[in-house]
């Protein structure tokens, strides 16, 4: 055998080994692609029902939100009606009721005499009044008697 023949055999063996490695790599790549295809098919089969369930849940939530919105608008209308009624009642009966109460107080005061003239039992200690964190002395709180 000559040197050229040995070199040809070495190149042929090298190419055979290289083709073998490439064949193994291509076989593994094909196996990986088959597994990936199967995985994608399984995910698709499971995702479609999940998306349908999610879509129905979103529709149900939208229906409930619409109902809550209708209830909130009804409550707002009732609140505005109650406010208007309260204002009407206060303006209609408020003034006359204050006048009747003042008149009743005046009549009681006139008929009952002054409370200061009637002894009420044991002497009471003067009340202390607190205004914004300070106490007003009792002397400033008492009513002055007219001469």
């Amino acid at each position: 055998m000559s040197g050229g023949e040995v070199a040809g055999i070495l190149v042929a063996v090298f190419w055979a080994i290289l083709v073998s490695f490439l064949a193994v790599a291509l076989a593994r790549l094909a196996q990986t692609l088959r597994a990936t295809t199967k995985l994608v098919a399984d995910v698709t089969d499971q995702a479609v029902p999940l998306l349908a369930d999610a879509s129905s849940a979103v529709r149900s939530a939208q229906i409930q939100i619409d109902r809550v919105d209708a209830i909130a608008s009804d409550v707002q209308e009732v609140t505005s009606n109650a406010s208007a009624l309260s204002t009407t009642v206060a303006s209609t009966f408020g003034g006359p009721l204050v006048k009747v109460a003042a008149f009743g107080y005046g009549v009681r005061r006139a008929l009952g005499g002054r409370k200061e003239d009637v002894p009420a039992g044991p002497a009471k200690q003067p009340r202390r009044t607190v205004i914004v964190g300070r106490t007003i002395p009792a002397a400033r709180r008492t009513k002055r008697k007219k001469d």
Side-chain angles (χ1 to χ4, degrees):
M1 271 204 221
S2 71
E5 290 176 349
V6 173
I9 291 175
L10 285 176
V11 169
V13 169
F14 173 75
W15 280 107
I17 292 173
L18 181 65
V19 169
S20 300
F21 283 129
L22 288 176
V24 170
L26 286 175
R28 288 189 180 175
L29 181 62
Q31 182 182 7
T32 303
L33 287 175
R34 277 192 298 269
T36 304
T37 304
K38 183 180 179 210
L39 179 66
V40 168
D42 290 344
V43 167
T44 303
D45 291 343
Q46 292 176 2
V48 170
L50 288 176
L51 290 175
D53 290 344
S55 176
S56 67
V58 167
R59 273 190 236 108
S60 175
Q62 183 62 39
I63 290 170
Q64 295 300 325
I65 288 173
D66 291 341
R67 287 180 183 169
V68 168
D69 188 36
I71 291 170
S73 65
D74 291 343
V75 167
Q76 184 178 10
E77 184 178 341
V78 167
T79 302
S80 65
N81 289 341
S83 176
L85 179 65
S86 172
T87 303
T88 303
V89 168
S91 65
T92 303
F93 298 113
L97 284 177
V98 168
K99 290 176 184 177
V100 167
F103 179 75
Y105 176 75
V107 168
R108 264 189 318 205
R109 184 87 172 169
L111 294 178
R114 297 182 70 174
K115 286 187 174 182
E116 297 168 357
D117 297 340
V118 180
K124 294 183 180 177
Q125 292 189 349
R127 279 186 16 205
R128 299 182 73 175
T129 304
V130 177
I131 298 176
V132 191
R134 56 175 230 208
T135 304
I136 297 176
R140 290 180 60 192
R141 283 186 277 125
T142 58
K143 293 183 180 178
R144 296 182 182 172
K145 295 183 182 180
K146 293 183 180 179
D147 292 322

